[in-house]
Amino acid sequence: MRNWFGNRLVSLFVVSIAVGLGCGMVVAVSLKVPFPIALAVLSVALVTTAILFALKLPSLIEPIQRLTVTLRRGETPSSLLLQELGELGEAISAAWRNWKETVSELREERALLQAILRRMDEAIIVARENGSVLLVNPAAEKMFRLPADCAQRRLTELNLPFEFLELAQNALRQKLPQMGEVHIVRPEEKFLDAYATPLLVNGQLEGVLLVARDLTELKRLERIRKDFVANVSHELRTPIATLKSLAEALLMGGKDDPEVMENFLQAIVEESERMGRLIDNLLELARIEAGQWEQQRQKVSVADITRQIVERFSPAAAQKGLAIVVSVPDQLSVNTDADALMQILSNLVDNAVKYTMQGEVAIKAEKVETADGEWIVISVRDTGIGIPQEHLPRIFERFYRVDKARSRQLGGFGLGLSIAKHLTESLGGKIAVQSQVGKGSTFSIWLPVNE
C-alpha cells in the first residue's frame, strides 16, 4: 500500500508540474505576466492540490476494498461503510437497492413462469436457433417420454416425432408460425395438435417455441359419437324394416289367413318391444350421464340383492346347464341405491349367462380395505368365451360389441356394460374387468362402504 501511495504521489507531482508549465505559458502570454512568476504560482497551486488529494486518497482506499469484498460475497453493504464513502457511498447504496429490486422481480417472474409451465397440460419446448434445448415443461417430458437431462441436448437428440421436428425447422427457416397435426403410433397411439413459432428479438431470430396439445381423448370421443349415431341408426333401421315388411305382408293378403296373421302380429309385438327396450336404455343412459338420475341411498344387504339376481337368472342358466355359485356373507351391507345395484348386477350376470356355454357363473362379495378407504367388492366371474385383450379398453363404450353377430343373435344392444359403468361411477364406485380368451371373464364393481 505504501509503495502504491508513493508511486501515485510522484505521478501527481510530475503531472502537476507538467500542467503548471503549460498553463504558465498560456497565462504569461495572455496576461503579459513574466513567465517565471506565472509558472511558479500555478505550479505551487497544483502541487498543493495534489498533496491534499494524495493525503485524502488513503482514507477512501480501505472502505473501497471492504466494499469490494462485501459485494463479492453477495452481502448488503453496511450503512457505516457507505457513510465512509460519502457521495460515492450514497450512489452505491442507490445502485444496490435498484439491483436488489430488479433481482427480486426477476426471481418472482421466473417462479411464476415455472409454476405456469408446470400446471399447463400442453407440452412446451423452447430451443435456440442452433437446436439446443433451453426449456422443457413436465407435460412435454411426460408426453414424449423425454430424459431428465433433455434441457442440455439438441432437438434432434430427443425422441420427438418427425412431424414435430419438421414444424420447428420450417418455423426457423421461414420465420413464420407453423401448425399441424402429429400422429404418434408407438408406444401408444396419440393425436397431437402441434404449433411452432419463431422467437424474434429486435428482428433477430433467437430460437423457436414448440407447443403440443393432446387430442387423443377428443378423437376417441368423436369416434364414439360417430359409432353411436351409426349404431343407433342401424339398430332402429332393422326393426323398422321388419315392421314395414310384416305390415305390407298383412295388407297383401296375410290378414286373411288367421294363422299367418297371428304369427305376423306376434312378430310385430316382439319387434316393437325390442325398439322400446332400445329407446328405454338410451333414455336411461342419457339421464345418468346428464346427472338427472336421483339416487335413493340406503343400507342395502348385498346377500338379499344377490338372491334376487340368482332367482331371476337361474332358469336361463339351467337351460344351458350352468351353475350359479354364490359366495356372499349374510352380514355384508353397503350404503347405496338398491335399484341401481340391482341393475348393475343384472347386466353383469345376464352377460355372463349369455356368453358362457359350459361351466359356472360365480358371484362373490367381500369387504376390502385400501389406502382410499373401505370398499365392498362384488365380482361376477364366468367360464365363458372371454374377451380379447385389444377389446378391453373399449368394452364399456355404448354399442360396442366384441362379436357383433353373436351379440345381435342373443338380443343385446351393446348398452348393458355402458349403463353398468355409468351407474357404478354415479354411486361413487368403479368397475373393472379381467378376461382371458377361452377361459372366461371377471367383472368387479367397487362401491365405497360409506357415502
Side-chain angles (χ1 to χ4, degrees), residues 4-5 8 12 52-62:
W4 179 88
F5 176 71
R8 181 57 57 89
L12 288 173
L52 293 175
F53 178 75
L55 292 175
K56 181 66 177 177
L57 194 59
S59 63
L60 297 176
I61 294 175
E62 184 179 357

Short mmCIF file of all heavy atoms in Angstrom, two decimals, residues 4-5 8 12 52-62:
data_model
loop_
_atom_site.label_atom_id
_atom_site.label_comp_id
_atom_site.label_asym_id
_atom_site.label_seq_id
_atom_site.Cartn_x
_atom_site.Cartn_y
_atom_site.Cartn_z
N TRP A 4 2.37 1.79 -3.38
CA TRP A 4 1.33 2.31 -4.29
C TRP A 4 1.10 3.80 -4.04
O TRP A 4 0.99 4.59 -4.97
CB TRP A 4 0.04 1.52 -4.07
CG TRP A 4 -1.10 1.98 -4.95
CD1 TRP A 4 -1.38 1.55 -6.19
CD2 TRP A 4 -2.07 2.97 -4.61
NE1 TRP A 4 -2.46 2.20 -6.69
CE2 TRP A 4 -2.92 3.09 -5.73
CE3 TRP A 4 -2.29 3.78 -3.50
CZ2 TRP A 4 -3.99 3.97 -5.77
CZ3 TRP A 4 -3.35 4.65 -3.53
CH2 TRP A 4 -4.20 4.75 -4.66
N PHE A 5 1.07 4.22 -2.74
CA PHE A 5 0.84 5.62 -2.41
C PHE A 5 2.02 6.48 -2.87
O PHE A 5 1.82 7.57 -3.42
CB PHE A 5 0.67 5.74 -0.89
CG PHE A 5 0.52 7.17 -0.44
CD1 PHE A 5 -0.62 7.89 -0.72
CD2 PHE A 5 1.55 7.79 0.27
CE1 PHE A 5 -0.75 9.20 -0.30
CE2 PHE A 5 1.43 9.09 0.68
CZ PHE A 5 0.27 9.80 0.41
N ARG A 8 1.90 6.87 -6.62
CA ARG A 8 0.81 7.75 -7.02
C ARG A 8 1.16 9.22 -6.71
O ARG A 8 0.84 10.12 -7.50
CB ARG A 8 -0.47 7.35 -6.25
CG ARG A 8 -1.69 8.20 -6.61
CD ARG A 8 -2.00 8.16 -8.11
NE ARG A 8 -2.21 6.82 -8.59
CZ ARG A 8 -3.40 6.23 -8.59
NH1 ARG A 8 -4.45 6.90 -8.17
NH2 ARG A 8 -3.52 5.02 -9.06
N LEU A 12 1.54 12.30 -9.35
CA LEU A 12 0.78 13.54 -9.22
C LEU A 12 1.69 14.76 -9.32
O LEU A 12 1.33 15.79 -9.93
CB LEU A 12 0.02 13.55 -7.89
CG LEU A 12 -1.19 12.59 -7.81
CD1 LEU A 12 -1.75 12.58 -6.39
CD2 LEU A 12 -2.26 13.03 -8.80
N LEU A 52 -2.88 17.52 -1.18
CA LEU A 52 -4.12 17.36 -0.40
C LEU A 52 -4.92 16.15 -0.89
O LEU A 52 -5.47 15.37 -0.10
CB LEU A 52 -4.96 18.62 -0.50
CG LEU A 52 -4.37 19.87 0.18
CD1 LEU A 52 -5.25 21.10 -0.08
CD2 LEU A 52 -4.20 19.64 1.68
N PHE A 53 -5.01 15.97 -2.19
CA PHE A 53 -5.75 14.82 -2.76
C PHE A 53 -5.06 13.51 -2.40
O PHE A 53 -5.70 12.52 -2.07
CB PHE A 53 -5.85 14.98 -4.28
CG PHE A 53 -6.55 13.83 -4.93
CD1 PHE A 53 -7.93 13.70 -4.86
CD2 PHE A 53 -5.82 12.86 -5.63
CE1 PHE A 53 -8.56 12.64 -5.47
CE2 PHE A 53 -6.45 11.80 -6.22
CZ PHE A 53 -7.83 11.69 -6.16
N ALA A 54 -3.71 13.51 -2.47
CA ALA A 54 -2.96 12.30 -2.13
C ALA A 54 -3.12 11.94 -0.67
O ALA A 54 -3.18 10.77 -0.31
CB ALA A 54 -1.49 12.49 -2.47
N LEU A 55 -3.19 12.97 0.20
CA LEU A 55 -3.39 12.71 1.62
C LEU A 55 -4.81 12.18 1.89
O LEU A 55 -5.02 11.38 2.81
CB LEU A 55 -3.14 13.99 2.43
CG LEU A 55 -1.69 14.47 2.46
CD1 LEU A 55 -1.60 15.82 3.19
CD2 LEU A 55 -0.77 13.45 3.13
N LYS A 56 -5.78 12.60 1.08
CA LYS A 56 -7.17 12.16 1.26
C LYS A 56 -7.40 10.76 0.68
O LYS A 56 -8.25 9.99 1.15
CB LYS A 56 -8.10 13.17 0.58
CG LYS A 56 -9.58 12.85 0.71
CD LYS A 56 -10.07 12.95 2.15
CE LYS A 56 -11.57 12.70 2.27
NZ LYS A 56 -12.06 12.73 3.64
N LEU A 57 -6.63 10.39 -0.33
CA LEU A 57 -6.87 9.16 -1.07
C LEU A 57 -6.78 7.91 -0.20
O LEU A 57 -7.64 7.02 -0.31
CB LEU A 57 -5.88 9.07 -2.23
CG LEU A 57 -6.19 8.01 -3.29
CD1 LEU A 57 -7.55 8.25 -3.90
CD2 LEU A 57 -5.10 8.02 -4.35
N PRO A 58 -5.79 7.75 0.73
CA PRO A 58 -5.73 6.53 1.53
C PRO A 58 -6.98 6.29 2.36
O PRO A 58 -7.33 5.15 2.64
CB PRO A 58 -4.49 6.74 2.40
CG PRO A 58 -3.65 7.69 1.63
CD PRO A 58 -4.61 8.61 0.97
N SER A 59 -7.67 7.37 2.79
CA SER A 59 -8.87 7.20 3.59
C SER A 59 -10.00 6.58 2.79
O SER A 59 -10.94 6.02 3.36
CB SER A 59 -9.32 8.54 4.17
OG SER A 59 -9.66 9.44 3.12
N LEU A 60 -9.97 6.66 1.44
CA LEU A 60 -11.01 6.07 0.59
C LEU A 60 -10.66 4.66 0.15
O LEU A 60 -11.54 3.87 -0.18
CB LEU A 60 -11.23 6.93 -0.65
CG LEU A 60 -11.76 8.35 -0.42
CD1 LEU A 60 -11.83 9.09 -1.74
CD2 LEU A 60 -13.13 8.32 0.25
N ILE A 61 -9.35 4.34 0.16
CA ILE A 61 -8.92 3.05 -0.36
C ILE A 61 -9.42 1.91 0.52
O ILE A 61 -9.98 0.92 0.03
CB ILE A 61 -7.39 3.01 -0.48
CG1 ILE A 61 -6.93 4.01 -1.55
CG2 ILE A 61 -6.92 1.60 -0.82
CD1 ILE A 61 -5.45 4.13 -1.64
N GLU A 62 -9.28 2.02 1.81
CA GLU A 62 -9.68 0.93 2.70
C GLU A 62 -11.19 0.66 2.65
O GLU A 62 -11.61 -0.50 2.53
CB GLU A 62 -9.24 1.25 4.13
CG GLU A 62 -9.54 0.09 5.09
CD GLU A 62 -9.09 0.39 6.52
OE1 GLU A 62 -8.51 1.48 6.73
OE2 GLU A 62 -9.34 -0.45 7.39
#
